[in-house]
């Protein structure tokens, strides 16, 4: 391990190396391993845990995995003799921040939003992680989401997580997707509009599609990607989001993904107790937008009239569109596990208004 530290990959790989070294240092009571543990965990925890508590790769799945590693390391330290007091204190602080972020981003039924490189079956359930943390003395508190670029709105029976985050980290964006201004929506603790997740890490067309703009609940303009994702884990030109206006139940944001075409996209979320309204504005000549909404596999949309769908207990409607149709897509349950679900595809120019109401 000491000769194969993953400095060439950095990110979660190097942090995982640090946790492995921590176990070796405690087991062997070895000073060389102590020094390496201090060096890696000190720098990487400072770098990788953002101010609001999110892991900086902005994948809720990896956040769970690394929080479990941190809890295991802390559990080891408080139950054994060691000379790593500085690491113990730093872990204690980082864990509390990560617990708070998880508690805040998590939906009321215990799900996490499957944003960026996230999928099922790779991490313990969030409630299990939070229970483990509580046993070690970490009680969750709600925090203001900021540095991670996620926002959460709760009103009535609706819960919405919006993604206005940067591609991150800038020097290692392997887990980033082209999903600026995407969102996930739950109602009464059940998923309605979802991120499709991922099913592979192979460098193939499936991987490219699952990272692409059209696989997220956002807007693609003139069939161009917001952010250039390629090579399985690479990112080229990237959209940079920015907030225009924000309050407790409203968010308006834009991004630079189409600046090179002289086109802008502004999205506004308005969250009320009995409905959610999303307003998309496209500014620029010859700009044609495609909006996508990916529905959970349990929901089969029934079109009642043009631009209006019944989604089990909800009504989904659109105003100012060129056409709307439902299509099938592959919802990812885990690696190499997919089921068929429905998405709504909307073509529009100018302004599109989307309403989901009870």
């Amino acid at each position: 391990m000491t000769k194969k530290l993953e400095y060439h990959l950095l990110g979660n790989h190097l942090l995982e190396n640090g946790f492995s070294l921590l176990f070796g240092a405690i087991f062997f009571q070895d000073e060389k391993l102590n020094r390496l543990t201090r060096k890696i965990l000190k720098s990487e925890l400072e770098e990788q845990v953002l101010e609001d508590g999110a892991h900086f790769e902005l994948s809720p799945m990896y956040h769970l995995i690394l929080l479990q590693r941190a809890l295991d390391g802390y559990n080891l330290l408080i139950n054994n003799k060691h000379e790593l007091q500085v690491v113990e204190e730093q872990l204690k602080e980082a864990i509390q921040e990560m617990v708070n972020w998880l508690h805040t981003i998590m939906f009321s039924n215990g799900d996490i939003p499957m944003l960026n490189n996230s999928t099922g079956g790779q991490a313990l359930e969030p409630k299990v992680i939070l229970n483990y943390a509580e046993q070690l003395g970490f009680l969750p508190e709600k925090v203001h989401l900021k540095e991670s670029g996620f926002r959460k709105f709760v009103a009535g029976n609706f819960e919405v997580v919006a993604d206005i985050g940067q591609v991150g980290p800038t020097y290692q964006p392997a887990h980033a997707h082209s999903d600026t201004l995407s969102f996930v929506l739950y109602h009464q603790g059940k998923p309605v509009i979802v991120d499709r997740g991922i099913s592979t890490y192979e460098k193939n067309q499936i991987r490219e599609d699952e990272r692409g703009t059209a696989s997220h609940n956002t807007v693609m303009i003139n069939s161009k990607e917001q952010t250039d994702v390629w090579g399985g884990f690479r990112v080229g030109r990237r959209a940079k989001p920015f907030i225009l206006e924000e309050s407790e139940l409203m968010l308006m944001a834009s991004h630079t993904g189409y600046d090179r075409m002289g086109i802008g996209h502004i999205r506004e979320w308005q969250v009320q107790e009995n409905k959610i309204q999303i307003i998309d504005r496209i500014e620029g000549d010859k700009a044609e937008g495609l909006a996508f909404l990916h529905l959970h596999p349990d929901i089969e949309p029934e079109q009642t009239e043009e631009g209006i769908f019944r989604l089990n207990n909800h009504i989904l409607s659109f105003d100012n569109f060129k056409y709307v149709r439902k299509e099938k897509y592959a919802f990812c349950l885990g690696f190499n596990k997919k089921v068929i679900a429905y998405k709504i595809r909307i073509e529009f120019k100018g302004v599109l208004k989307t309403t989901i109401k009870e």
Side-chain angles (χ1 to χ4, degrees):
M1 169 66 75
T2 59
K3 296 179 180 178
K4 295 183 178 180
L5 295 171
E6 295 175 279
Y7 281 104
H8 61 298
L9 294 175
L10 300 172
N12 73 84
H13 291 259
L14 188 56
L15 186 53
E16 292 265 24
N17 292 166
F19 289 130
S20 297
L21 289 169
L22 170 60
F23 274 74
I26 298 298
F27 184 83
F28 293 109
Q29 294 294 302
D30 182 87
E31 182 53 33
K32 178 183 178 182
L33 293 178
N34 279 341
R35 288 196 303 270
L36 272 174
T37 299
R38 291 190 198 98
K39 177 183 177 182
I40 292 176
L41 288 184
K42 181 179 186 300
S43 63
E44 294 308 310
L45 287 171
E46 290 176 355
E47 173 79 5
Q48 296 193 33
V49 180
L50 301 178
E51 288 295 318
D52 67 0
H55 181 253
F56 77 156
E57 290 176 354
L58 305 180
S59 157
M61 180 187 79
Y62 278 97
H63 184 95
L64 284 175
I65 292 169
L66 292 166
L67 177 53
Q68 181 188 346
R69 299 289 189 272
L71 287 166
D72 287 343
Y74 183 76
N75 197 1
L76 182 74
L77 287 166
I78 64 175
N79 285 291
N80 288 277
K81 294 181 179 180
H82 61 82
E83 298 180 2
L84 295 168
Q85 286 74 21
V86 173
V87 172
E88 181 179 325
E89 287 303 311
Q90 190 175 7
L91 264 180
K92 183 177 181 180
E93 181 179 348
I95 288 170
Q96 186 63 63
E97 292 172 351
M98 294 179 77
V99 163
N100 292 345
W101 186 87
L102 175 60
H103 177 62
T104 303
I105 202 78
M106 191 174 72
F107 291 108
S108 59
N109 71 340
D111 288 352
I112 54 171
M114 292 294 182
L115 299 166
N116 292 309
N117 273 358
S118 295
T119 197
Q122 301 303 305
L124 292 178
E125 292 295 322
K127 288 183 178 179
V128 173
I129 295 287
L130 291 179
N131 183 57
Y132 181 19
E134 190 170 343
Q135 291 176 28
L136 295 178
F138 299 98
L139 301 179
E141 298 179 2
K142 291 288 178 66
V143 294
H144 175 61
L145 301 177
K146 185 177 180 181
E147 288 79 11
S148 59
F150 299 125
R151 296 294 187 272
K152 186 175 181 185
F153 304 99
V154 179
N157 293 317
F158 286 110
E159 299 172 86
V160 179
V161 172
D163 184 354
I164 52 168
Q166 304 280 349
V167 169
T170 57
Y171 58 84
Q172 177 51 297
H175 299 296
H177 288 198
S178 181
D179 62 352
T180 305
L181 309 188
S182 188
F183 71 101
V184 176
L185 182 146
Y186 276 48
H187 180 264
Q188 294 182 336
K190 294 182 179 180
V192 180
I193 297 173
V194 295
D195 193 293
R196 71 179 293 185
I198 58 170
S199 67
T200 184
Y201 272 171
E202 295 293 324
K203 297 177 183 178
N204 55 27
Q205 191 59 50
I206 294 174
R207 172 73 172 152
E208 298 299 296
D209 290 345
E210 289 174 355
R211 296 180 77 201
T213 308
S215 287
H216 300 89
N217 304 311
T218 187
V219 173
M220 172 181 273
I221 299 177
N222 292 353
S223 300
K224 301 294 184 183
E225 298 286 347
Q226 297 173 340
T227 291
D228 291 332
V229 290
W230 62 280
F233 298 92
R234 304 295 187 185
V235 175
R237 179 195 49 79
R238 57 200 68 183
K240 296 180 180 179
F242 53 93
I243 296 172
L244 297 170
E245 189 176 346
E246 182 176 12
S247 64
E248 184 179 357
L249 294 175
M250 190 276 287
L251 174 65
M252 183 187 298
S254 185
H255 65 87
T256 63
Y258 297 110
D259 281 7
R260 71 193 190 283
M261 300 159 56
I263 296 171
H265 171 218
I266 298 172
R267 169 165 279 186
E268 179 180 348
W269 291 266
Q270 298 176 359
V271 183
Q272 301 175 30
E273 285 197 3
N274 63 346
K275 73 175 182 180
I276 309 291
Q277 187 165 74
I278 299 156
I279 303 170
D280 289 298
R281 298 178 178 87
I282 294 177
E283 301 173 342
D285 294 335
K286 299 180 180 180
E288 295 192 358
L290 277 176
F292 302 92
L293 295 176
H294 295 77
L295 305 177
H296 188 268
D298 289 343
I299 296 177
E300 183 171 348
E302 176 190 354
Q303 186 165 357
T304 56
E305 56 185 283
E306 190 175 11
I308 300 178
F309 295 84
R310 180 176 294 279
L311 311 178
N312 296 355
N313 299 322
H314 319 91
I315 299 297
L316 171 65
S317 61
F318 305 95
D319 292 313
N320 195 37
F321 56 87
K322 292 180 66 177
Y323 75 80
V324 178
R325 67 170 179 254
K326 69 176 183 180
E327 301 175 343
K328 293 181 178 181
Y329 80 97
F331 176 80
C332 304
L333 299 172
F335 285 110
N336 302 309
K337 296 179 181 179
K338 295 182 281 189
V339 295
I340 297 300
Y342 286 97
K343 66 180 178 181
I344 309 296
R345 176 188 177 109
I346 313 101
E347 183 177 329
F348 70 100
K349 296 186 73 172
V351 178
L352 173 68
K353 294 184 179 180
T354 302
T355 304
I356 306 107
K357 63 182 180 181
E358 296 179 320

